[in-house]
Amino acid sequence: MKKNVPIEPTKNSHRYHPLSKRKFFRTLENSYKQKNFFEKNVHLFFERLALYPFPKDDKVLISLNNISKQFPVTQDKPNVLFDKVNLQIKRGDVISLIGANGVGKSTLLDILVGYLNPTSGNVEYNLEYTWSPTEKIGISYQKNVLLSSLSVWDYISFTHRLYKSNTTLEDLIIFCYAFGIEKFCKMRVNKLSGGQQQRLNAMLSLFHNPEIVLLDELCNNLDMSIKKKIINFIKNYFQIKNITAIIISHDVYEIKNMANRVMVIKNQKIANDLTTKQLTQRAGGIDRLIAESV
């Protein structure tokens, strides 16, 4: 058997690659003819990915400083979600954020990515960017934020151009297989199931080479077989690229296989901030913490 040899980077391998619709679908259709295409090619994808990892350091990428957030319900009784929350997110952290419904997990992501302003406090970004820190952040929401009149291809093409993605055509095909949407790229979003839309959302958050990834209930609407495939792919992707991530999840399998740090939001604060190693040493571990948090 011929030994796999790491692929040498070409001169333009880490630059923007324009995406041709005709060539994309021709390559995709050719992949259908190859038995076990994904299984035979995904290791080459990860070899290419390993050529350009983010630095292996503990640099603080985002700091939340005394963040408070409240939404006025009445003039006399504001709805306070957070009260002076402080958090440092270091490179390589994969944080699982858990808590009961309505405690503000998704709101905290909105503040972190800049979609919402805190009532008080500030967010500091230690990222290199041209226009906005969001250039370096990929986000996948639980709720569907895709326009149903557009096709899957439209979203892939738009995201690729928006971020001037350096993802090659070959690697983009692997992404489609990894998230199980390779057969749906010509379909409009409104024809996809909830789980298929969720998978597309997640893929769009990753392939433009973000430094930080935010995933909101990734495993909702997914059956166990596709869930395991996607989590295994993302786990390897995070480790090889040294991606920093925050995942909102109550799925034990997802947390155990992806997170290295677990936080609980409770009573307007971050009530617990523990490593997964610390949790495994506790009675009940992650399962018990999740049960208590909800």
Side-chain angles (χ1 to χ4, degrees), residues 68 88 115 126 139-140 151 180 186:
S68 297
Q88 286 192 333
Y115 293 164
N126 193 9
I139 185 165
S140 174
S151 70
K186 292 182 179 180

Side-chain angles (χ1 to χ4, degrees), residues 3-9 44 47-48 51:
K3 186 178 180 181
N4 290 325
V5 178
I7 298 171
E8 293 297 324
L44 298 175
E47 286 178 4
R48 293 190 288 271
L51 296 172

Side-chain angles (χ1 to χ4, degrees), residues 175-194:
F175 269 112
C176 291
Y177 270 88
F179 287 88
I181 63 167
E182 73 278 5
K183 300 288 187 179
F184 310 117
C185 291
K186 292 182 179 180
M187 292 177 61
R188 295 193 181 277
V189 169
N190 62 357
K191 299 297 183 181
L192 301 180
S193 69

Side-chain angles (χ1 to χ4, degrees), residues 45-46 49 56 92 94 175 178-179 206 213 215 218 227-245 247 253-260:
F45 167 88
F46 284 125
L49 198 70
K56 302 286 186 180
V94 180
F175 269 112
F179 287 88
L206 288 180
V213 175
L215 300 174
L218 171 67
K227 177 169 75 172
K228 286 183 175 180
K229 179 181 179 182
I230 289 174
I231 288 176
N232 184 59
F233 179 84
I234 294 178
K235 176 184 178 181
N236 287 326
Y237 181 87
F238 283 178
Q239 289 179 345
I240 292 170
K241 286 287 292 181
N242 198 32
I243 294 289
T244 304
I247 57 176
Y253 183 84
E254 182 180 354
I255 295 171
K256 284 184 176 179
N257 282 277
M258 292 176 63
N260 56 29

Side-chain angles (χ1 to χ4, degrees), residues 275-294:
T275 66
T276 50
K277 184 177 180 180
Q278 288 172 327
L279 279 172
T280 56
Q281 296 171 348
R282 289 188 170 196
I286 293 173
D287 306 64
R288 182 175 179 179
L289 187 67
I290 292 173
E292 291 173 348
S293 71
V294 299

Side-chain angles (χ1 to χ4, degrees), residues 242-278:
N242 198 32
I243 294 289
T244 304
I246 296 181
I247 57 176
I248 293 176
S249 178
H250 295 102
D251 187 286
V252 174
Y253 183 84
E254 182 180 354
I255 295 171
K256 284 184 176 179
N257 282 277
M258 292 176 63
N260 56 29
R261 190 175 169 191
V262 180
M263 296 181 184
V264 178
I265 296 182
K266 190 174 182 180
N267 298 327
Q268 306 167 0
K269 303 282 188 183
I270 294 177
N272 295 91
D273 182 358
L274 302 166
T275 66
T276 50
K277 184 177 180 180
Q278 288 172 327

